[in-house]
Amino acid sequence: MNRIFFLLLFVLCPVLAGAQSAGGSYYEPSDDYYIHIGSGRFTAMKRDTNTYLIDTLAYGNYKQKNSCIQVKYKKNDLKERKETIEIKDGSFVWRGMTFKKEIHFVKVEEMPSFPGGNGALMEYLSKNLKYPEETKEKGLQGRTIVRFTVKADGTLHYIQVLRSVDPALNRECARLIKSMPTWNPGKQNGHPVDVDYVIPFSVHPQ
């Protein structure tokens, strides 16, 4: 029997008065893509919809000029080697998709919580996780680490597998998180904020 433990192109760049730094993380509404800009580096990532693992689509160096960033790619799955991206009101279009800047906290004064607390979360996971037969047959063991964002309204988004034991188990962990009820959001200075949260699923065959 298997036991599962839960451990807690150039374009004109408008000159904007007081133009802010482009640095930060930008997310696309489908939850499958996100882009990080910072310290002179541009990185575009995609979540695999089958394994929930993250793959890097493109990365390179950038320089900011007014409201634009000029990217020189070191890796790009398309042909472009240089690109100018205009950022307006904290968002931009890349490959026909709109990305919006979001601030995700890792630690806040009041961390987000499952309704009823950690005990209720453990019970929910134990009762609802269905151990995949294909994973069981392989006799795999180890730890699947899943990260997701608890939004300021308590909904769960951006589910990603940081460490994988088996793709089938990745999908099951993601399914379980998607099926969770709305959480109590995290708070900073008394205000609800977006917080990244991690759950390790440890699998030990017996």
Side-chain angles (χ1 to χ4, degrees), residues 12 21 27 37 43 48 70-72 74-76 78 84 92 103 106 112 116-118 148 169 176 179 185 203-204:
L12 293 176
S21 168
Y27 295 81
I37 299 172
T43 308
D48 188 298
Q70 298 172 336
V71 183
K72 185 176 181 181
K74 292 185 176 180
K75 172 191 173 182
N76 191 355
L78 298 183
T84 298
F92 60 85
I103 297 175
V106 175
N118 286 336
F148 55 94
L169 186 57
L176 189 59
S179 68
V203 184
H204 299 285

Side-chain angles (χ1 to χ4, degrees), residues 1-46:
M1 179 179 179
N2 295 277
R3 292 190 300 168
I4 301 179
F5 299 92
F6 310 100
L7 313 177
L8 282 185
L9 0 139
F10 292 102
V11 298
L12 293 176
C13 297
V15 179
L16 301 179
Q20 296 183 347
S21 168
S25 296
Y26 296 77
Y27 295 81
E28 187 266 337
S30 73
D31 288 5
D32 289 332
Y33 299 83
Y34 74 97
I35 291 173
H36 183 74
I37 299 172
S39 300
R41 189 174 179 86
F42 175 99
T43 308
M45 289 156 280
K46 181 182 185 300

